[in-house]
Structures are given as structure tokens and as C-alpha cells.
Amino acid sequence: DYDTNPALFPKYLKFDGIDDYLNLPYMRLYGGGAASIIAARNAVSQATDTYIISERSTSNANPKYFPSRQLAGGGNMDSYISDDTAAVVLDTIGSAFSGASDKVIRSVVDTGNNIKLFKNGALAANDNYTRAGTLTLNNTTIWVSVSTTTGNYASMKLYGLIITKSAITDAQRVRCERFLAQKA
């Protein structure tokens, strides 16, 4: 079948870093109060910050919900949230990049007052935060930031992605990570 023959169908979606991204229906991940994201992808260092999932406003560049982003250059994984007035709600320190890898599992569990980041199952960040201010968001995208402008395209391979509009348990996260690791 196609899944076992890479010549017919690669086991990943490749984003070129120039203009490729996926537009999702607005998911209200932040607005719903909790979210979880598990992604099997490659990790590469590039010149711009990149996002697994981004929620933004198309009319105001200030509000941002980046539950998982990879910073430019050093490639640290972190989370970032700012409100309609650009006040920072959360800016985690995240984890060290530790070099390019063709396959890596990155997970985020946001309970609404705590966000945990995991890299290959290991805890990378664990930060409490208080939801303050208003975040007026209206779009959800994969591998790009879409607001009043579009940018920060990612050059990456996506092997699998699981998104929930709830904070999953550690046991559920581990099962999801193992499932996606088999695909990568």
C-alpha cells in the first residue's frame, strides 16, 4: 500500500519554508481554556522562529497563542502568549535545541494555568501562568504565523499531528507520543 512504499507516498508532509502551510478552521485552543498538541516532525535550525500551531488575529498583530514554537538560530522550543495590547501572558524558557534531527516528538499540554513542553517524552518546560487581558484570535494555522501579515514559514517534515481541545493526562500523552513515534 502507499504507506509502505515511500516512492509512491512519503510518510510525511514536507513544508518548504517559503510559502507552505496548512490553514485549519479556527479551533479556539486558547479560547477553550485548555489544549494539547503532539507532533512528530523533524527539528532543524533556521533563520526564523517557526510554529507547530499558531493562533492569531487577522486584524490585530498583538494577540498571539504559540503553544509550541521553535526559536530561530539556537532552535530552543518554547511557548509564547501575548494579549490584544501586546502584554506578555507567558514566555517560557523552553529546551535547548541539541542539534538537527530528522525525527523528533514535541508535545504541549496547556491546562489553562500551566503549560508543559516535552521533547521526545522528556519534560522540557513546566510553567505556571495566569490568563490576563483579552486575546481576540480568529485563525489557527500549522507551520506559519498568519496575522495582519503572513510569515515565519517552517521548513520541516510533519510525520503526524494530534490536537485536542483539552489537557490530556500524562498517560494519554505517552500513548499519543508512542503512536506518532511509530509513524516517524
Side-chain angles (χ1 to χ4, degrees), residues 2 5-10:
Y2 290 111
N5 187 342
L8 297 175
F9 187 80

Side-chain angles (χ1 to χ4, degrees), residues 21-30 53-60 63-66 136-142 144-150:
Y21 69 95
L22 296 175
N23 220 7
L24 299 174
Y26 176 52
M27 295 184 70
R28 294 194 72 236
L29 297 175
Y30 182 84
I53 298 291
S54 168
E55 287 196 332
R56 302 286 309 266
S57 167
T58 54
S59 61
N60 180 351
K64 300 171 180 80
Y65 180 57
F66 302 144
T136 307
L137 307 167
N138 64 10
N139 73 54
T140 306
T141 55
I142 299 175
V144 74
S145 173
V146 176
S147 183
T148 55
T149 61
T150 300

